[in-house]
Amino acid sequence: MPPTPTPPRGRFAPSPTGALHAGSLLAALGSWLFARHVGGEWHVRIEDIDPPREVAGAADAQLRALARLGLQPDGAVVRQSTRGALYAQALERLLDQGDAFVCHCSRSALAAHAGVHRRCVGGAPRRDPSIRLRVPQGTRVAFEDAIQGHVAEDVHAVTGDFVLRRADGYWAYQLAVVVDDAAQGMTGIVRGADLLGSTARQMVLQQRLGLPVPRYAHLPLLLDARGHKLSKSLDALPFDGTDPVAALAGAWLLLGQQPLAATTTDPRDWLVLASAAFEPGRIPRGPLAASHNTGDRDPP
Ligand code: GLU
């Protein structure tokens, strides 16, 4: 029997560090549209593996906001805080293969090397070492991003040996995201361009773990009025829940889409129209000013 083709599947994976803001709304809608316009599934995963950065109640508030926007996930919401056994298994494999190593380097010792780890630089053994992935010279990654185009990175030069388990014992985002995207059968990763710099590392991990490589699309970055990344300015333009269709329509225009002639006030009806009208090729590379929303494409 021929193998069953993998159904298209995408996800929105917020960290519970604050309210759903304009940048995360763009990622939520963008990932939903990419999945749905080809009849695929869309999932939500709460990336709650960094308790020091977590804001109490943020995950539930994000889920309530998604529900008000009519963005209904297929299947149960997954929380990374419950999936440590999967990350431990992957880490074990990387250690066994000699791809990962225990590292006692302190942040201050690495500061002399621009914070990039290419070999251990000594210092006293720590009680709380981190575990890093070995990234030897010549480790290069290249891929076609569906929005940002050709991306190439010399991972050894740019990020060096990167952390898989932090010195404080928490899992690193890079390991958890790669393990989960594969375990959940994600075929397309749609997220903000602030994560474009992480993708090469994630591809190196996929290679070392023998995992399939999904297709990537990095949405334009939103900048606030002062030109700062919106995702980094706390609670920037939070969705207040009052007019979900207006919020969706605003994000839709930022994604370069043609205005929808929709008169509905039900976000679920609006989303059905949007998934049929969605044209991924119209999404600008960005960056975009969140406050000046013209819906125009960047000049080619
Ligand atoms: N949890 C990450 C964030 O909120 C996103 C991870 C991803 O989409 O890969 O920035």
Side-chain angles (χ1 to χ4, degrees):
M1 252 179 33
T4 323
T6 322
R9 188 176 289 166
R11 71 350 179 241
F12 173 55
S15 302
T17 52
L20 198 75
H21 56 67
S24 38
L25 173 55
L26 206 65
L29 178 62
S31 58
W32 187 93
L33 287 166
F34 266 91
R36 277 288 194 274
H37 96 116
V38 292
E41 289 178 11
W42 181 76
H43 293 253
V44 173
R45 183 171 72 227
I46 300 290
E47 303 213 314
D48 52 351
I49 45 166
D50 193 354
R53 285 188 59 227
E54 191 164 336
V55 171
D60 289 338
Q62 288 169 340
L63 293 174
R64 278 197 303 274
L66 290 175
R68 257 181 254 127
L69 290 159
L71 293 165
Q72 172 70 38
D74 295 299
V77 171
V78 161
R79 291 182 190 249
Q80 285 191 324
S81 55
T82 65
R83 296 165 70 83
L86 276 179
Y87 313 144
Q89 212 175 23
L91 185 67
E92 206 55 43
R93 172 165 172 186
L94 293 167
L95 285 164
D96 286 352
Q97 289 171 182
D99 283 324
F101 63 97
V102 175
C103 172
H104 291 269
C105 295
S106 64
R107 201 174 287 214
S108 52
L110 284 172
H113 303 265
V116 178
H117 189 288
R118 293 197 194 89
R119 61 183 175 83
C120 284
V121 290
R126 309 169 56 143
R127 270 195 307 130
D128 53 356
S130 61
I131 300 181
R132 292 178 182 270
L133 189 82
R134 208 180 296 284
V135 182
Q137 216 162 5
T139 307
R140 293 193 176 82
V141 162
F143 64 98
E144 292 304 318
D145 186 273
I147 298 167
Q148 305 298 330
H150 187 71
V151 179
E153 187 175 308
D154 179 336
V155 188
H156 172 78
V158 177
T159 47
D161 306 323
F162 58 89
V163 172
L164 301 172
R165 205 184 67 198
R166 297 166 17 179
D168 57 14
Y170 294 121
W171 297 108
Y173 156 67
Q174 309 294 355
L175 178 70
V177 78
V178 161
V179 168
D180 280 336
D181 282 340
Q184 294 187 276
M186 296 302 161
T187 59
I189 305 303
V190 180
R191 58 189 178 193
D194 53 328
L195 291 162
L196 187 58
S198 288
T199 306
R201 271 170 284 173
Q202 293 173 18
M203 286 183 164
V204 172
L205 266 174
Q206 286 156 358
Q207 220 172 49
R208 305 288 175 83
L209 288 166
L211 300 173
V213 179
R215 185 141 168 72
Y216 286 92
H218 287 86
L219 300 165
L221 210 60
L222 281 187
L223 304 180
D224 66 16
R226 287 177 301 160
H228 297 147
K229 276 188 212 171
L230 198 66
S231 55
K232 302 296 176 223
S233 29
L234 278 184
D235 288 336
L237 305 183
F239 167 60
D240 66 4
T242 50
D243 192 345
V245 169
L248 291 167
W252 173 258
L253 294 181
L254 283 169
L255 291 173
Q257 305 299 303
Q258 308 264 34
L260 279 183
T263 50
T264 178
T265 53
D266 184 331
R268 286 161 306 182
D269 294 339
W270 185 92
L271 283 165
V272 171
L273 298 171
S275 63
F278 180 53
E279 295 176 72
R282 295 187 62 87
I283 301 178
R285 285 185 184 183
L288 306 171
S291 47
H292 300 287
N293 173 9
T294 63
D296 289 343
R297 272 187 74 99
D298 276 357

Short mmCIF file of all heavy atoms in Angstrom, two decimals, residues 11 13-16 45-50 54 78-81 173 176-177 180-181:
data_model
loop_
_atom_site.label_atom_id
_atom_site.label_comp_id
_atom_site.label_asym_id
_atom_site.label_seq_id
_atom_site.Cartn_x
_atom_site.Cartn_y
_atom_site.Cartn_z
N ARG A 11 0.39 25.33 13.03
CA ARG A 11 0.13 25.60 14.46
C ARG A 11 0.44 27.05 14.79
O ARG A 11 1.18 27.74 14.11
CB ARG A 11 0.88 24.65 15.34
CG ARG A 11 2.40 24.66 15.55
CD ARG A 11 3.25 25.47 14.73
NE ARG A 11 4.66 25.41 15.03
CZ ARG A 11 5.41 26.46 15.42
NH1 ARG A 11 4.90 27.66 15.51
NH2 ARG A 11 6.70 26.32 15.64
N ALA A 13 1.90 28.91 18.25
CA ALA A 13 2.59 28.42 19.45
C ALA A 13 3.01 29.58 20.35
O ALA A 13 4.19 29.89 20.47
CB ALA A 13 3.80 27.59 19.04
N PRO A 14 2.04 30.24 20.99
CA PRO A 14 2.41 31.39 21.81
C PRO A 14 3.11 31.01 23.12
O PRO A 14 2.84 29.95 23.69
CB PRO A 14 1.05 32.05 22.11
CG PRO A 14 0.08 30.91 22.09
CD PRO A 14 0.60 29.95 21.03
N SER A 15 4.00 31.87 23.56
CA SER A 15 4.56 31.75 24.91
C SER A 15 3.66 32.58 25.82
O SER A 15 3.28 33.69 25.45
CB SER A 15 5.99 32.31 24.94
OG SER A 15 6.78 31.64 24.00
N PRO A 16 3.35 32.05 27.00
CA PRO A 16 2.41 32.78 27.87
C PRO A 16 3.10 33.91 28.64
O PRO A 16 3.19 33.90 29.86
CB PRO A 16 1.89 31.69 28.81
CG PRO A 16 2.97 30.67 28.83
CD PRO A 16 3.70 30.73 27.54
N ARG A 45 -0.44 25.39 20.50
CA ARG A 45 0.48 24.82 21.49
C ARG A 45 0.98 25.95 22.39
O ARG A 45 1.53 26.93 21.90
CB ARG A 45 1.66 24.16 20.76
CG ARG A 45 2.63 23.48 21.69
CD ARG A 45 3.66 22.66 20.91
NE ARG A 45 4.62 23.51 20.23
CZ ARG A 45 4.99 23.35 18.96
NH1 ARG A 45 4.50 22.39 18.21
NH2 ARG A 45 5.88 24.15 18.43
N ILE A 46 0.76 25.79 23.66
CA ILE A 46 1.23 26.80 24.62
C ILE A 46 2.68 26.46 25.00
O ILE A 46 2.95 25.38 25.53
CB ILE A 46 0.33 26.81 25.89
CG1 ILE A 46 -1.13 27.14 25.52
CG2 ILE A 46 0.87 27.77 26.94
CD1 ILE A 46 -1.38 28.56 25.07
N GLU A 47 3.58 27.37 24.72
CA GLU A 47 5.01 27.10 24.95
C GLU A 47 5.41 27.63 26.34
O GLU A 47 6.07 28.66 26.48
CB GLU A 47 5.82 27.70 23.80
CG GLU A 47 5.35 27.11 22.46
CD GLU A 47 6.42 26.95 21.41
OE1 GLU A 47 7.20 27.89 21.23
OE2 GLU A 47 6.45 25.88 20.76
N ASP A 48 4.99 26.86 27.34
CA ASP A 48 5.18 27.28 28.73
C ASP A 48 6.33 26.52 29.39
O ASP A 48 6.14 25.81 30.37
CB ASP A 48 3.87 27.10 29.52
CG ASP A 48 3.29 25.69 29.38
OD1 ASP A 48 3.81 24.90 28.55
OD2 ASP A 48 2.34 25.35 30.10
N ILE A 49 7.52 26.66 28.80
CA ILE A 49 8.69 25.95 29.37
C ILE A 49 9.66 26.92 30.02
O ILE A 49 10.78 26.55 30.35
CB ILE A 49 9.44 25.15 28.29
CG1 ILE A 49 9.63 25.99 27.04
CG2 ILE A 49 8.76 23.82 28.01
CD1 ILE A 49 10.64 25.42 26.07
N ASP A 50 9.25 28.17 30.18
CA ASP A 50 10.15 29.18 30.74
C ASP A 50 9.45 29.90 31.90
O ASP A 50 9.08 31.07 31.78
CB ASP A 50 10.53 30.16 29.62
CG ASP A 50 11.70 31.05 30.00
OD1 ASP A 50 12.15 30.98 31.17
OD2 ASP A 50 12.16 31.82 29.15
N GLU A 54 7.13 33.52 32.48
CA GLU A 54 5.69 33.32 32.32
C GLU A 54 4.89 34.32 33.16
O GLU A 54 5.29 34.68 34.26
CB GLU A 54 5.36 31.89 32.76
CG GLU A 54 3.96 31.50 32.40
CD GLU A 54 3.74 30.00 32.46
OE1 GLU A 54 4.71 29.22 32.33
OE2 GLU A 54 2.58 29.60 32.65
N VAL A 78 -2.07 21.78 23.28
CA VAL A 78 -0.92 21.08 23.87
C VAL A 78 -0.12 22.08 24.71
O VAL A 78 0.07 23.22 24.30
CB VAL A 78 -0.07 20.49 22.72
CG1 VAL A 78 1.34 20.16 23.18
CG2 VAL A 78 -0.75 19.26 22.14
N ARG A 79 0.31 21.66 25.88
CA ARG A 79 1.14 22.53 26.72
C ARG A 79 2.52 21.90 26.86
O ARG A 79 2.63 20.75 27.33
CB ARG A 79 0.50 22.72 28.09
CG ARG A 79 -0.77 23.55 28.00
CD ARG A 79 -1.40 23.78 29.37
NE ARG A 79 -2.72 24.37 29.19
CZ ARG A 79 -3.04 25.63 29.52
NH1 ARG A 79 -2.14 26.41 30.05
NH2 ARG A 79 -4.24 26.09 29.31
N GLN A 80 3.54 22.66 26.52
CA GLN A 80 4.89 22.11 26.54
C GLN A 80 5.33 21.70 27.95
O GLN A 80 6.17 20.81 28.09
CB GLN A 80 5.88 23.12 25.95
CG GLN A 80 5.78 23.19 24.43
CD GLN A 80 6.92 23.98 23.81
OE1 GLN A 80 7.37 24.96 24.38
NE2 GLN A 80 7.36 23.57 22.63
N SER A 81 4.76 22.34 28.97
CA SER A 81 5.17 22.00 30.34
C SER A 81 4.85 20.55 30.70
O SER A 81 5.39 20.02 31.67
CB SER A 81 4.49 22.95 31.33
OG SER A 81 3.08 22.91 31.14
N TYR A 173 14.07 26.55 24.13
CA TYR A 173 13.04 26.66 23.10
C TYR A 173 13.40 25.84 21.85
O TYR A 173 12.55 25.14 21.30
CB TYR A 173 12.85 28.15 22.75
CG TYR A 173 12.29 28.42 21.39
CD1 TYR A 173 10.98 28.06 21.07
CD2 TYR A 173 13.07 29.02 20.40
CE1 TYR A 173 10.46 28.29 19.79
CE2 TYR A 173 12.56 29.26 19.13
CZ TYR A 173 11.26 28.89 18.83
OH TYR A 173 10.76 29.11 17.58
N ALA A 176 12.69 22.07 22.33
CA ALA A 176 11.27 21.75 22.55
C ALA A 176 10.47 21.97 21.26
O ALA A 176 9.62 21.15 20.90
CB ALA A 176 10.72 22.62 23.68
N VAL A 177 10.75 23.05 20.55
CA VAL A 177 9.95 23.37 19.37
C VAL A 177 10.17 22.33 18.26
O VAL A 177 9.23 21.92 17.58
CB VAL A 177 10.23 24.83 18.89
CG1 VAL A 177 11.54 24.93 18.14
CG2 VAL A 177 9.09 25.37 18.05
N ASP A 180 8.46 18.99 19.32
CA ASP A 180 7.00 19.07 19.23
C ASP A 180 6.50 19.21 17.80
O ASP A 180 5.50 18.60 17.42
CB ASP A 180 6.48 20.24 20.08
CG ASP A 180 6.41 19.86 21.54
OD1 ASP A 180 6.32 18.65 21.83
OD2 ASP A 180 6.45 20.76 22.39
N ASP A 181 7.16 20.05 17.01
CA ASP A 181 6.68 20.21 15.62
C ASP A 181 6.68 18.85 14.91
O ASP A 181 5.77 18.54 14.15
CB ASP A 181 7.54 21.24 14.86
CG ASP A 181 7.17 22.68 15.24
OD1 ASP A 181 6.05 22.90 15.76
OD2 ASP A 181 8.00 23.59 15.03
#
